[in-house]
Amino acid sequence: MITEERIFDTRADLAAALAADVAAVLRKALSEQGEALLAVSGGKTPALFLDKLAQTDLAWEKVRVTLVDERQVPETSERSNARLVRQHLMHGKAARAGFVPLFENPAAARLPALDVAVLGMGTDGHTASFFPGGDRLAEAIDPNSGIRLIEITAPGAGEPRLTFTLPVLEEAGCLMLHIEGAEKRAVLQRALGHGPASEMPVRAVLRSVRPLTLYWCP
C-alpha cells in the first residue's frame, strides 16, 4: 500500500531525491549488515535517477545491484535492462558495485532479501514483469507461491521475461514506486480503484500490506 507520496516539480528534482533516499537506505543496510542489495527497474524512466545515484558517495564495493525484472535478451541488445543499468549506474563512484544479472544466471534466484527495490509502472498497469495476460501472472503475484524468480510471457511484454515475484518484493527492506507524467498518474489512480489484479497487475503491489513510497513528477 502507498504509505507516503513524494511529489516533485521536475524530473531532475525527483531523480536527486530518489537517489538520496535510496543511498540512505543502502547506508543503513551497510551499517547494520556490512553489505547491501539494491534492485532497480529498466525502461526509460529511471535513467536520470540512476545517473544521479552513480554520483553518490557510498561504500559501493559492498553493494550488489540487480534488476527487478529483465527481458530474455543478451546485454548487446538495446532492450536489455542490464545494459541500461550498466550504462547509467555502473560507472563513476558506483563502478565499484557488483552487478547480478537475471538473464542466463540461475543464481539470481538465490539472492537474499532485497534491501531496497525501485519499481516502475507501465501505462498498461504492469510493474516488474507482472503483465496483463501473462502466462504465469497468477504465480508471479501469488504471495504464497514460494517462487522467487519466474519466467513469464505476455502479449504486451515483447520478449519473454524474467521477474522477481511478489513475495520477493514484499520482503524488501524498502519498496519504492517511481512514475512520471500525467498519463501514468491517471493509470495509477485507476489501479487504486476496484478491479482484479489480473487486469492491472500493479494492484498486487498496491494492495499488499507492504509499505510503498510513491515518487512522482508531472
Side-chain angles (χ1 to χ4, degrees):
M1 68 177 77
I2 295 176
T3 53
E4 182 181 359
E5 294 191 10
R6 301 205 62 197
I7 311 303
F8 303 89
D9 293 329
T10 68
R11 293 184 67 237
D13 289 343
L14 188 159
L18 181 53
D21 290 352
V22 167
V25 176
L26 294 176
R27 286 192 190 96
K28 184 173 185 292
L30 290 169
S31 173
E32 295 175 351
Q33 305 162 183
E35 59 183 10
L37 180 58
L38 164 67
V40 297
S41 297
K44 297 178 181 178
T45 301
L48 189 58
F49 147 65
L50 296 175
D51 284 332
K52 184 64 74 171
L53 185 60
Q55 302 169 22
T56 303
D57 287 317
L58 201 63
W60 283 108
E61 67 278 3
K62 299 177 182 178
V63 176
R64 283 186 293 174
V65 178
T66 191
L67 293 155
V68 170
D69 67 316
E70 177 63 289
R71 299 174 175 93
Q72 294 199 53
V73 297
E75 290 187 29
T76 52
S77 169
E78 292 185 357
R79 289 180 58 76
S80 165
N81 287 342
R83 175 174 173 159
L84 175 127
V85 171
R86 288 194 189 277
Q87 289 177 339
H88 290 277
L89 178 58
M90 310 300 291
H91 63 87
K93 295 174 180 177
R96 304 192 308 276
F99 181 66
V100 183
L102 302 187
F103 181 55
E104 296 185 337
N105 182 26
R110 298 190 293 275
L111 284 169
L114 306 171
D115 291 299
V116 56
V118 184
L119 304 176
M121 184 192 71
T123 55
D124 60 355
H126 86 268
T127 192
S129 282
F130 307 163
F131 279 88
D135 62 345
R136 301 182 70 186
L137 177 61
E139 292 173 89
I141 64 175
D142 179 356
N144 301 307
S145 70
I147 303 170
R148 296 184 65 77
L149 189 64
I150 198 169
E151 295 186 10
I152 189 168
T153 61
E159 303 87 350
R161 303 277 188 126
L162 288 161
T163 187
F164 280 113
T165 59
L166 181 63
V168 174
L169 301 183
E170 288 186 319
E171 74 177 2
C174 185
L175 196 56
M176 302 168 172
L177 176 62
H178 172 195
I179 62 173
E180 297 180 359
E183 183 180 14
K184 287 193 177 181
R185 183 74 197 212
V187 171
L188 179 63
Q189 289 305 119
R190 292 200 301 273
L192 289 167
H194 297 292
S198 58
E199 179 184 273
M200 301 183 77
V202 70
R203 286 173 172 154
V205 177
L206 297 173
R207 293 172 180 175
S208 169
V209 296
R210 190 75 185 87
L212 176 69
T213 301
L214 171 67
Y215 291 76
W216 177 79
C217 68

